[in-house]
Amino acid sequence: MSTGEHEAGEQRVQDAVRRHARTRAFAEAEDVISAVLSDPGVQEARERVKAAETEMGTELSARLQPFQDRYDQAVAEGDADALAGLCGGKHGPWGRICVLPDGHETSMEEPHWGRNSEGRPIAWVGSAPDDW
């Protein structure tokens, strides 16, 4: 076996070990995350947050519904310019649903607001990462 073949073989072994270690680390992380998310206290907290976001969304509906109407019209008409001016804020479980204009957090001092997948108003603070 030549030196080049030997080095290539070693590199393949090192790559395989790294892939195995990464796969194992992800599996262990998923186990920990599943255990934490299944904890009754975490589930209760999640439900309280969901209820508070729904309540706040409902309270803001009368004032912010025109933004939902403009969003719905822009979607129906395919108005890319109107859609491009919307907030990029995302809600983790439902994705990007904020129908307020970009920068609303400072100019209007409003939380993110839109509708969840069930069509109910929802308001939230913060934004999910792009890879959610």
Side-chain angles (χ1 to χ4, degrees):
M1 182 184 293
S2 70
T3 303
E5 290 173 334
H6 179 72
E7 288 175 359
E10 281 186 26
Q11 184 63 43
R12 283 193 301 274
V13 169
Q14 289 175 1
D15 290 345
V17 167
R18 275 194 289 275
R19 281 192 305 274
H20 175 73
R22 185 175 42 239
T23 300
R24 184 175 175 150
F26 280 126
E28 289 174 4
E30 286 177 0
D31 289 346
V32 170
I33 290 168
S34 292
V36 169
L37 293 178
S38 66
D39 179 86
V42 172
Q43 290 178 356
E44 180 183 334
R46 181 184 308 143
E47 288 303 314
R48 285 195 315 256
V49 167
K50 184 177 177 180
E53 289 176 341
T54 302
E55 181 180 339
M56 186 168 52
T58 300
E59 289 173 3
L60 294 170
S61 286
R63 190 167 72 246
L64 300 180
Q65 183 60 43
F67 293 99
Q68 180 70 48
D69 297 342
R70 279 184 231 146
Y71 171 82
D72 292 342
Q73 182 175 356
V75 169
E77 295 175 355
D79 186 345
D81 289 335
L83 295 172
L86 294 177
C87 173
K90 290 183 178 184
H91 186 286
W94 293 299
R96 185 188 176 286
I97 62 168
C98 185
V99 297
L100 300 179
D102 191 30
H104 66 86
E105 300 98 329
T106 54
S107 63
M108 297 170 61
E109 297 183 359
E110 296 286 0
H112 297 290
W113 188 85
R115 300 219 174 250
N116 66 19
S117 59
E118 300 160 348
R120 295 188 186 132
I122 186 167
W124 72 99
V125 177
S127 185
D130 284 336
D131 62 351
W132 178 269

